[in-house]
Amino acid sequence: MKKIVYFFAVLLLSQCNMSSNKPGTGSLAEIDLSGECPKKEMYLQDIAKVEYIPLETNSHTLMSSETLIIYVSDNYIVAVTRSKGDVFIFDGKGKSKFSFNHKGKSGTEYSRIHSVAFDEKAKEIFIFDRIAVKPKFLVYAEDGEFKRILDCPSDLLLQAYNFDDETLLAYDEYGLNQNKYSNKPYIFISKKDGHVVDKLDINLPVRISSRFIFEVEIDGKKYMTSLTLSMPNNRSYGKNFIISDLSSDTIYKLTPQKELIPLMVRKPSVHSTDPKMVAVNYMMTDKFIFLTKGMLDIELAKKTKQFPAMDLMYDFEMGQLNEIKLINKDFESSNVGFGPAITPENTGVRLLDVAQLFEADETGKIQGQLKQVISSLQEEDNPVLMKIKFQ
């Protein structure tokens, strides 16, 4: 039977009544997802410093619209194109350092890049290959030299993050297989040999999957298809992680010492609403948490090919939540969003397509620092990295 797969990048969360709670103070905020929030527009430059970093273009470093930034620090920018198997490594100023593609069928190659973790200290890249006969991590040096394989439990579909010198934090993202990690999907995997060394004490008795499989009829024939929420449940917050699972009513901060600190609890419970009202965070700073609220209305999504969602921002000091639209002064027609990269504390990133910037510039929509940056670029060049440092 033919299978048709649609992918949707959806970020989901919110609330309108919330108690004041600074991150890390130990007080637990309560999120009311049932109310409506006042709308607010803000210029990004009023709350953050914005830097534009052109990513060098050369014959070995050609990115596409599918390319994702997965890691940013002062010294490194790492990007991948999962479907093609490309890995690109730049220095902190956007100059190309290395690029490689080991997509293939040999024992030292991957079938497809499912998830990637970068260890800057060890200069190692961990690529999780789920399509292989036996799911595994392939470990490479930053220049692409093969180093070793980490065998993994066969029934996991993992998103992986660099956690410390010894371990990766891995997350069984779909929770469809009802394996022994289904109810406790956050595990720590050895960087040396891939065995599970520990797990987080987050118990999720009922998993809400981010993949929905159903039957459709096209020209009188029936097919199985799926809708997938392609979204990070977890985000970095400097050396910490924000754990925000679809199936959990609590959002946690995970410290480098593996201390799990509840930050927010949502009401009503995700398990009590129909359709499901889901919630995850997509950016955390010392002053704000950016959230998106969404409804898993499957029947509506079948028709519209998307799930209804809205972005919100909670101000920890003011105890206020608003439906938010962040506007970039240098590109006012663009609503600011944040990519899923691991970043330093209080830092967000996104990619800006150069061809789209040239088109916008022709109509006078580009100004300031961004206009100066694109003046030295060609339309077919690699994207510009927008680095956002919140003050």
Side-chain angles (χ1 to χ4, degrees):
M1 184 172 285
K2 185 177 180 181
K3 185 176 181 181
I4 307 170
V5 182
Y6 301 96
F7 293 91
F8 299 93
V10 181
L11 299 170
L12 312 165
L13 189 340
S14 140
Q15 100 288 342
C16 276
N17 299 314
M18 193 171 185
S19 59
S20 180
N21 170 48
K22 283 192 175 183
T25 62
S27 58
L28 184 63
E30 290 189 356
I31 306 170
D32 181 4
L33 292 174
S34 61
E36 293 185 1
C37 303
K39 296 182 179 181
K40 186 174 184 178
E41 292 188 0
M42 295 180 65
Y43 282 115
L44 181 63
Q45 283 81 354
D46 291 340
I47 56 175
K49 179 182 178 181
V50 179
E51 179 183 5
Y52 300 103
I53 304 174
L55 301 179
E56 182 183 355
T57 306
N58 57 46
S59 60
H60 303 292
T61 308
L62 297 174
M63 303 167 73
S64 73
S65 59
E66 297 179 9
T67 302
L68 297 173
I69 299 295
I70 61 103
Y71 183 89
V72 174
S73 71
D74 291 338
N75 301 312
Y76 279 90
I77 299 168
V78 182
V80 299
T81 309
R82 291 176 179 172
S83 59
K84 294 182 178 181
D86 295 326
V87 178
F88 307 108
I89 300 181
F90 306 86
D91 67 17
K93 299 300 182 181
K95 182 175 177 56
S96 178
K97 288 171 62 70
F98 305 103
S99 61
F100 64 87
N101 186 318
H102 293 319
K103 187 174 181 179
K105 297 182 179 180
S106 77
T108 62
E109 296 175 315
Y110 42 81
S111 303
R112 187 181 188 276
I113 297 175
H114 180 77
S115 69
V116 182
F118 179 62
D119 182 340
E120 180 173 340
K121 183 178 178 180
K123 295 180 172 54
E124 291 185 336
I125 299 170
F126 297 78
I127 294 179
F128 180 63
D129 184 5
R130 179 64 178 84
I131 303 178
V133 175
K134 181 175 177 55
K136 58 191 176 184
F137 283 96
L138 295 101
V139 187
Y140 301 93
E142 63 177 0
D143 63 359
E145 179 187 0
F146 174 76
K147 301 191 75 173
R148 61 188 179 279
I149 287 177
L150 310 181
D151 290 324
C152 301
S154 61
D155 51 359
L156 296 181
L157 185 59
L158 296 175
Q159 287 290 339
Y161 311 89
N162 185 57
F163 186 74
D164 58 26
D165 292 348
E166 305 296 329
T167 58
L168 300 172
L169 171 63
Y171 167 69
D172 185 17
E173 69 176 336
Y174 290 141
L176 292 175
N177 297 324
Q178 293 301 308
N179 55 66
K180 66 179 180 179
Y181 300 109
S182 291
N183 295 339
K184 290 192 174 183
Y186 293 92
I187 56 180
F188 295 95
I189 290 178
S190 166
K191 289 181 178 179
K192 181 179 179 180
D193 58 18
H195 78 277
V196 177
V197 298
D198 201 357
K199 56 187 175 182
L200 284 182
D201 189 21
I202 297 179
N203 188 33
L204 305 173
V206 180
R207 293 290 300 277
I208 297 174
S209 176
S210 57
R211 177 182 293 173
F212 304 91
I213 302 172
F214 54 93
E215 188 177 76
V216 295
E217 186 171 325
I218 301 175
D219 297 329
K221 297 182 179 180
K222 293 183 178 180
Y223 303 93
M224 295 305 296
T225 186
S226 66
L227 298 176
T228 300
L229 300 178
S230 181
M231 51 172 278
N233 284 259
N234 316 294
R235 301 298 295 256
S236 66
Y237 176 41
K239 295 181 180 180
N240 304 287
F241 286 90
I242 305 301
I243 306 297
S244 178
D245 194 280
L246 284 180
S247 309
S248 176
D249 291 331
T250 304
I251 298 174
Y252 300 90
K253 181 176 78 171
L254 174 64
T255 72
Q257 294 75 36
K258 296 184 181 180
E259 184 182 8
L260 201 57
I261 303 172
L263 290 180
M264 298 179 178
V265 61
R266 46 160 297 157
K267 295 181 179 180
S269 170
V270 64
H271 302 289
S272 67
T273 57
D274 187 19
K276 300 297 184 187
M277 189 184 298
V278 294
V280 298
N281 106 90
Y282 67 90
M283 181 66 201
M284 178 87 167
T285 78
D286 290 343
K287 296 181 179 179
F288 310 106
I289 185 168
F290 294 89
L291 316 163
T292 307
K293 169 185 176 179
M295 299 294 294
L296 293 186
D297 191 329
I298 307 304
E299 295 304 316
L300 178 61
K302 289 178 184 179
K303 299 175 182 178
T304 64
K305 303 298 187 293
Q306 62 184 351
F307 294 87
M310 66 176 67
D311 292 332
L312 300 103
M313 182 185 78
Y314 179 71
D315 186 317
F316 287 106
E317 291 185 358
M318 303 300 294
Q320 295 177 351
L321 181 88
N322 294 93
E323 183 178 345
I324 188 69
K325 181 178 181 181
L326 279 180
I327 303 171
N328 182 2
K329 284 184 178 180
D330 298 331
F331 187 9
E332 289 202 22
S333 63
S334 175
N335 187 23
V336 177
F338 303 98
I342 299 297
T343 62
E345 196 169 84
N346 294 312
T347 303
V349 297
R350 66 168 302 179
L351 286 178
L352 302 177
D353 181 80
V354 173
Q356 292 179 4
L357 293 177
F358 272 81
E359 183 179 347
D361 190 40
E362 290 178 357
T363 59
K365 295 178 181 178
I366 304 295
Q367 55 189 333
Q369 181 189 357
L370 183 55
K371 188 174 182 69
Q372 181 179 353
V373 167
I374 67 172
S375 66
S376 62
L377 301 177
Q378 302 295 321
E379 191 169 335
E380 64 275 10
D381 279 347
N382 280 334
V384 173
L385 179 73
M386 181 179 175
K387 191 173 182 180
I388 305 154
K389 178 71 174 180
F390 287 90
Q391 300 168 349

